[in-house]
Structures are given as structure tokens and as C-alpha cells.
Amino acid sequence: MASTTTTQQPKAQPNGHRHTNGGSLSDHGPGVVGEGWNGRSFGVPLPSPLESLPGSVTMLDSAVFRTMFGSDTMREIMCDRTYVKRLVEVEVALAEVEGDLGIIPQWAAQCVAKYADASKINLERLRHETDIVGYSILPLVRQLSEMCGEAGKFVHVGFNTQDIHDLAVSLQIKAGLDLIEDQLNTARATLVRLAKEHKNTIMMGRTHLQHALPVTFGYKCAVYLASLDRHAERLAQLRPRALLASIGGASGSLGSMGMGTGTSLPDGIRTISAICKRLGLTEPSICIHVTRDHIVETISFLAAVCGSLGKIAYDVMLMSSVEIAEVKEPFVPHRGASSTMPHKRNPISSEIVMAIARLTRSHVATAMDTLVSDFERATGPWHLEFVVIPETFTYTSNSLVQCNFILDNMTVDTSRMRKNLSLSKGLIMAEHVMVGLADKVGRVQAHDIIYEDCKRCIETGEPLVDLLLVNPAVTKYLSRDDVAWRMEPGNYLGSCLVWVDQVVGDR
């Protein structure tokens, strides 16, 4: 009986494409998301659609308070939808890099790049399977593998869950820092304008909530500006460390990607270098799965920015009190209104900035706990980052939004600033007179002489200048004109004006 030779044909799949081991991209069609999936996840029927689940319990996602505590621009960077997009972006980049390096077939890399689509990820299925697994990557890889048909078996080669998650979050951090930088620069530009505009606007300097010595409002703004300038410098220094790529495979060694040879680096090292270049991240010198100082530094930086903004907001709150009334938050009808008192205009933006300063400070303490991890993969601390990173970025961005709103539009009452200088009946100029007298009788004796006149001024309400001019211990050494000159606030500004110029520079 004559024998015949037949060619085995690849088994047809339900969507019509056939598994093959080679060929071009055109030979390999897409898979179907949920191909063969019957609506059950790990054998369990899925619960009701996401839209029917209970509402948010956090201020950041509250239907009522979401824009009070978080900016929509940063929320879009840090939200679930973007996180999933970044995960898919990383998986695609990994496949393309491995295709270029010959680690996986080129056709498979092309298929993954073509068919892996974040918009087709079933988020409810992803949520349910993440609940079971404890991480989102395995459930994501299952769906991507289904999308990519036969190429799906080349998705997620060599990398592990933390690698993909951390790279995706690094891309979110990268975009988040870009936004923070833009918002920070906006605040700095406004403070430059205010510092220049009010360089010579004399106002009361206060220490321990008491009148101290005269300064200028421009000087005050320059103090704020200098702190934000330092934050801008910190951000530039921080960025390469904040964007360190966290890659290491199952236990930090990328063992599944080989050891290389005497003449070539391991595939793992080659892949790390290539994917960092592709994603714009910093290549690490070693795996950082369990050394999270770069995350702690980033969160600490954001909290420090919020603290500096809180300082500005605190000053605005105090200066807007009726008794001081030197500045006011921008007026918007009904903003800061009371439900019972029609006259109220509460400093709402400042209050929010202050609240955020406290919230982000607590997140630093939480982030610090991630530094203490066990062995090569942490049992728990890593999860803390899932909370503190998106929340701290979103809080910080909104703090900048609120502070920029205040600075760019606030009312500065220069006449009230001048009026407040006289509230103490001249006591604020006592030091200036004492300094002039000290040249004649020594500092200790001069202090005692002026102290007695200040005491009487406080007790009787008489203007200090009148008391000084009838005190022989003063008039023996200082003329009437000298005393009058020393009692003028504009003659005792020290280095304020020079400091404004130094901070503003040529901006």
C-alpha cells in the first residue's frame, strides 16, 4: 500500500486565526478579549457592573468634594484609567524591546504592539481578579494575552508583577512631576510680580503674632518666592532619582533572562537599558524592589511643597482677619459664604491649602514605612505606595491650584498696611531709637532707657515719640530731628529691599 504524506494544519481557533510558529505580522490576527470567557472570573460569576457599586468614600473622588481637594488634571494622570493605560504601555514596550533584542520573535512583538489595547480591558473583570490575586498584573496579562492571539504567549516575558506595576507608576510620577513643575513655576512667576510691585510697600512685620519691626510686602513675597525657588531646584535634582526604573524579575535577579556570557551582558540587563531609554526612565545600578528611598524622597518633596504653600496660606488667613485686613482672598460671589451670616467671606482656599499641608505630612510618615522591607520582596509595605503616591500627587497639585488662585487675584490693601504701622503708638520703632542711643551710652543702658518709655507708652497710650522727646536721657544724645527720623518706619527696613532684588534677580 502506497504511503502518502500529509501536512498537519494549525488548529483553527474560534475567531478564525490559526496558531503558527513563525511568519509575518500579517499572518497573525488579533485575539478576542475574553475569548472563551463565559462571564465568570476564576470560576466565579462577576458581581454587578462597576457603575452600580457604592459611591466614593474619599474626598479625592467624592462627587461633592472632588475638586475641592484634588485637581482634575492630576486626577487624570493618577486615575485607574491612566494606570491601566500605563500598564499596557509598559507591556507593549517590553515586547517591542525584547523583539528588537531577539528575546522574543519580532512578529510577536509587532502583534502585541498592534493588538494590546487598554481601551478593551474589562475593568470590572480586572477588579474582581485583582481582589483574588492581590495584584493587578496577572489579571491584566490574562486579558492582554487573549487580545494578542498566538502572540499572547510572548506577553510579559522575563518581568514580574512589581516590574510592570512600578514602571507604570513611574510613568505616572513622570507626568505628575511635569504638572507640579508647571504649577510651581506659575506660583513663582506670580510671586516675582508681587515682590517687584510691592518692594516698597511698607507693612508690619510680626513675631509671635505681635508687632515687631517694619518690613515690606514685597519682602514678604520674596521670602515665599525663595522657598519655592528652592523647591524648583529640589525637583530638578530629584527627578532622576524619582524616575528610577524598578525592575528585577521574580526575586530581583532577573534569573529567567539568563546570565549572559563572557562577551555579552545578560538579557535582563540589556532589556532594562533598552526599556528605560524607550520610556524615558532612569536606569538603576541594581534592583530597587525593596529599597524605596526614591519613593520616600518624592513624597517628602511633595509634602514639603505643600508645607511651604501652607505657610503662605496661613499668613493670608491671618492677614485677612477683620482686625488686620491687609490682604483678602479673591472675591467670587458666595465663595466662603456662611449659611447663617450674610456678611461672611471666609478664606476657603487658604483653609484647603492648610488642610492639604497636614494630610500630605501624614503621607510622608506612611511612605517612610516602605523603607523597612523584608528580604527580596516585601510582604505588605509595597501596598502603602498604592495609596500615598496618587493621593499625595493629587493633593499637592490642588494645593498649587488653590495657592495660585489666591496669589494671582488677591486684594492687597496698602493703605491698611500703612495704618496698621501706627497701631502700637510708635513702639515698633523703639529698637531703631535704642540702636542710635546705644552708640552713645552702650546697648544695655540704652535698652533700659527706651524700655521705660515703652512701658509707659503701653500703660498710658501716649505716643512713644512724645515720651522720648521729654526724656532727658534720650534728648541729651539724640536731637528732635534724629528722633523723628528714627521713628519713621521707612528708615528702618534693613536689608529688605536688597533681599527682594537678590531673590527676584533679573526675572
Side-chain angles (χ1 to χ4, degrees), residues 124-327:
E124 178 61 6
R125 176 184 171 191
L126 182 64
R127 180 202 62 77
H128 182 255
E129 294 181 3
T130 298
D131 277 351
I132 296 172
V133 175
Y135 304 101
S136 58
I137 308 306
L138 174 59
L140 178 90
V141 171
R142 285 161 57 89
Q143 293 195 45
L144 291 180
S145 296
E146 293 167 2
M147 283 184 202
C148 297
E150 184 167 347
K153 64 187 177 183
F154 295 105
V155 172
H156 197 68
V157 172
F159 279 26
N160 81 326
T161 289
Q162 185 170 356
D163 296 337
I164 302 301
H165 172 88
D166 282 359
L167 287 172
V169 171
S170 290
L171 294 177
Q172 290 180 287
I173 289 174
K174 182 181 180 184
L177 290 178
D178 287 343
L179 177 59
I180 295 296
E181 182 177 33
D182 288 344
Q183 294 175 317
L184 186 61
N185 286 339
T186 297
R188 293 166 67 203
T190 303
L191 286 169
V192 166
R193 174 177 61 80
L194 289 170
K196 292 164 69 174
E197 182 179 339
H198 293 285
K199 174 183 174 180
N200 296 293
T201 301
I202 303 172
M203 65 174 295
M204 197 63 251
R206 299 173 175 91
T207 61
H208 301 277
L209 296 178
Q210 308 298 308
H211 282 202
L213 298 176
V215 294
T216 72
F217 187 61
Y219 162 80
K220 198 173 189 68
C221 292
V223 170
Y224 304 148
L225 173 60
S227 70
L228 298 192
D229 284 346
R230 291 190 294 273
H231 285 313
E233 183 180 358
R234 289 185 186 98
L235 177 53
Q237 296 167 346
L238 159 75
R239 194 183 294 271
R241 295 187 295 274
L243 300 183
L244 274 168
S246 174
I247 306 170
S251 65
S253 66
L254 283 170
S256 67
M257 303 192 79
M259 296 176 63
T261 66
T263 58
S264 64
L265 292 170
D267 285 346
I269 299 298
R270 297 166 61 218
T271 302
I272 289 175
S273 296
I275 201 167
C276 285
K277 288 185 178 68
R278 185 174 292 258
L279 297 177
L281 301 177
T282 305
E283 183 176 350
S285 59
I286 199 167
C287 177
I288 57 172
H289 279 172
V290 287
T291 50
R292 311 303 286 177
D293 52 284
H294 66 301
I295 297 298
V296 174
E297 184 181 10
T298 303
I299 300 302
S300 298
F301 162 74
L302 295 173
V305 170
C306 290
S308 293
L309 300 178
K311 157 62 178 169
I312 298 173
Y314 196 20
D315 279 1
V316 170
M317 288 171 64
L318 293 173
M319 293 167 68
S320 66
S321 64
V322 174
E323 293 79 3
I324 299 177
E326 293 174 343
V327 302

Side-chain angles (χ1 to χ4, degrees), residues 411-487:
T411 299
V412 179
D413 190 338
T414 58
S415 62
R416 185 58 180 257
M417 289 178 175
R418 185 74 189 186
K419 181 179 179 181
N420 286 345
L421 290 169
S422 63
L423 290 178
S424 67
K425 304 288 186 178
L427 287 172
I428 63 171
M429 303 309 300
E431 183 188 75
H432 196 197
V433 178
M434 184 197 73
V435 169
L437 192 59
D439 290 340
K440 311 296 184 181
V441 300
R443 189 187 182 283
V444 174
Q445 186 176 350
H447 185 280
D448 290 343
I449 293 170
I450 303 302
Y451 179 85
E452 290 301 321
D453 282 338
C454 288
K455 182 172 176 288
R456 186 176 174 186
C457 174
I458 294 170
E459 293 171 348
T460 66
E462 296 178 73
L464 179 62
V465 65
D466 293 348
L467 297 172
L468 293 171
L469 291 175
V470 297
N471 185 342
V474 175
T475 57
K476 179 179 179 181
Y477 300 103
L478 299 178
S479 68
R480 177 178 291 271
D481 288 343
D482 194 8
V483 171
W485 182 83
R486 289 181 180 278
M487 291 298 292

Side-chain angles (χ1 to χ4, degrees), residues 5 20 25 110 178 205-206 225 298 306 323 351 367 385 502:
T5 302
T20 60
L25 172 61
Q110 294 171 349
D178 287 343
R206 299 173 175 91
L225 173 60
T298 303
C306 290
E323 293 79 3
E351 292 178 18
E385 296 178 16
Q502 286 184 176

Side-chain angles (χ1 to χ4, degrees), residues 18 41 170 189 291 334 358 360 404 418 492:
R18 299 174 182 272
S41 181
S170 290
T291 50
H334 305 295
R358 294 180 172 96
T360 53
N404 281 326
R418 185 74 189 186
Y492 201 53

